[in-house]
Amino acid sequence: MKALMLATDLSNRSDRALRRAARLARQFECPWFILHVVDEDQPQLRVELEVEQVRRYLNDQLDFFAELGGRAPEIWVEVGDPAKHIADCTRWADIDLLVVGSHRKNPLRDIFVGTTLERLVRTSHVPILLVNRAAEDDYLMPLLALDCSTASAQAVRAAHELGLLPKAGAKALYAFDPLGGAVMLAAGAGAGAIPGDYAADERLRATAALDRFLLEEELGSVIDQRLVEEGQPMTALRRVLEREPIDLLVMGTRGLTGMKRILIGSVADAAMRELDCDILTVPPIRWPDRDKA
């Protein structure tokens, strides 16, 4: 990782994101930025006052930030539409990772509420790390949510290139839904008309599809365990997170259509709203080969 940026709304929950960003900056010995965007949709006098107050507060904390991250961050206080301006700032600073805090229910103070966070995830050209938990350790138990699409392969590569996956490998989750049985039931066939081993056969087919995907994308070396779960993506994610000590979920923000399980739109949004682990979302971009810090 060459550089990272923390976008903060200065809330208590953003403190977790601050500490994770600082931990990553120290771990990778990379430059880091702290960004606060003042919403331009308010009276000009209030905007100017907030900019001055925030800039003073952050600069007063600079020594503390430097102690956390091993080096002082560069402080940016900007004015604009939060989602758009944050995305723009990641381009201006040429960063590899954007770190944000978990969203709150108070729309007057939190720039990461509802559609703002969703817009940011959909428009960002860099991976976004949504921090929900205290940064007590490096990521040791990540879960890679796969749908056998190019987008999910890129997400795995991004997490690996950023150095967020352990050397021992990570768990990969592939969710399958036995649609054939559901179609037969919808057509009026009784449950007895569906072969008893249908779900087992579908699991075998899903496992084979996952194996082919990992082989074709040359991702086997970063996968330690393969989980094939029956059900819709969010159902499978909840089930795995209930039984596994996952500390980071890695997912692409777009996938393919058709029979493949895709992690887009409502699924990614639901994961960010509902799940309490940290979540790395990766846009469908090409990651050039680069030296890792």
Side-chain angles (χ1 to χ4, degrees):
M1 189 182 308
K2 291 188 175 180
L4 66 90
M5 175 176 285
L6 166 70
T8 178
D9 65 353
L10 305 180
S11 68
N12 290 334
R13 292 189 180 187
S14 287
D15 183 64
R16 297 177 181 176
L18 164 66
R19 293 178 182 275
R20 174 59 68 181
R23 187 182 188 92
L24 291 171
R26 179 179 289 274
Q27 177 184 352
F28 295 103
E29 300 180 349
C30 67
W32 62 306
F33 301 77
I34 295 180
L35 166 69
H36 178 83
V37 178
V38 176
D39 196 331
E40 63 186 355
D41 189 19
Q42 54 185 328
Q44 181 63 27
L45 182 61
R46 183 173 179 177
V47 168
E48 294 174 357
L49 180 61
E50 186 172 348
V51 167
E52 181 60 29
Q53 290 177 334
V54 170
R55 183 174 288 117
R56 184 184 305 115
Y57 170 77
L58 291 176
N59 284 326
D60 286 346
Q61 299 292 313
L62 199 57
D63 289 343
F64 171 65
F65 298 150
E67 181 180 356
L68 285 179
R71 64 173 67 192
E74 186 171 329
I75 303 296
W76 289 13
V77 181
E78 302 285 334
V79 177
D81 173 75
K84 182 180 184 302
H85 211 73
I86 292 170
D88 288 342
C89 286
T90 62
R91 292 183 176 88
W92 299 338
D94 192 24
I95 70 161
D96 297 316
L97 178 69
L98 175 65
V99 182
V100 301
S102 58
H103 43 289
R104 302 181 301 164
K105 299 299 183 181
N106 183 356
L108 296 179
R109 291 292 301 163
D110 187 8
I111 65 173
F112 297 121
V113 168
T115 57
T116 300
L117 176 58
E118 293 162 8
R119 286 173 55 211
L120 181 58
V121 168
R122 288 171 179 156
T123 59
S124 175
H125 76 293
V126 299
I128 298 177
L129 177 63
L130 174 62
V131 179
N132 287 306
R133 296 179 180 173
E136 298 176 350
D137 206 339
D138 297 340
Y139 292 121
L140 302 174
M141 296 290 292
L143 178 68
L144 312 174
L146 304 179
D147 60 7
C148 294
S149 71
T150 300
S152 62
Q154 289 177 337
V156 175
R157 291 193 186 96
H160 177 64
E161 292 185 16
L162 287 170
L164 298 179
L165 301 184
K167 294 181 179 179
K171 288 183 173 66
L173 169 64
Y174 178 65
F176 74 98
D177 194 10
L179 296 176
V183 171
M184 292 175 68
L185 285 173
I194 301 176
D197 59 353
Y198 179 82
D201 290 342
E202 286 298 297
R203 180 177 294 276
L204 289 175
R205 280 191 280 271
T207 302
L210 177 58
D211 289 342
R212 286 195 302 271
F213 169 74
L214 295 177
L215 180 63
E216 293 170 357
E217 297 291 342
E218 300 180 345
L219 297 176
S221 62
V222 299
I223 306 298
D224 175 59
Q225 184 179 352
R226 305 173 189 185
L227 307 176
V228 179
E229 296 282 333
E230 180 179 347
Q232 295 294 319
M234 277 303 299
T235 301
L237 283 171
R238 294 188 195 99
R239 187 187 306 133
V240 171
L241 290 175
E242 285 176 359
R243 71 170 191 254
E244 305 275 353
I246 301 301
D247 54 14
L248 176 67
L249 172 63
V250 179
M251 59 194 306
T253 56
R254 297 185 184 92
L256 300 179
T257 58
M259 298 296 290
K260 297 180 179 179
R261 309 316 308 163
I262 56 177
L263 297 171
I264 61 172
S266 61
V267 177
D269 295 342
M272 290 184 294
R273 287 193 302 266
E274 298 179 25
L275 304 181
D276 66 356
C277 64
D278 291 3
I279 301 174
L280 179 73
T281 59
V282 180
I285 57 177
R286 292 186 177 180
W287 282 76
D289 294 334
R290 63 181 69 180
D291 295 332
K292 294 184 284 295

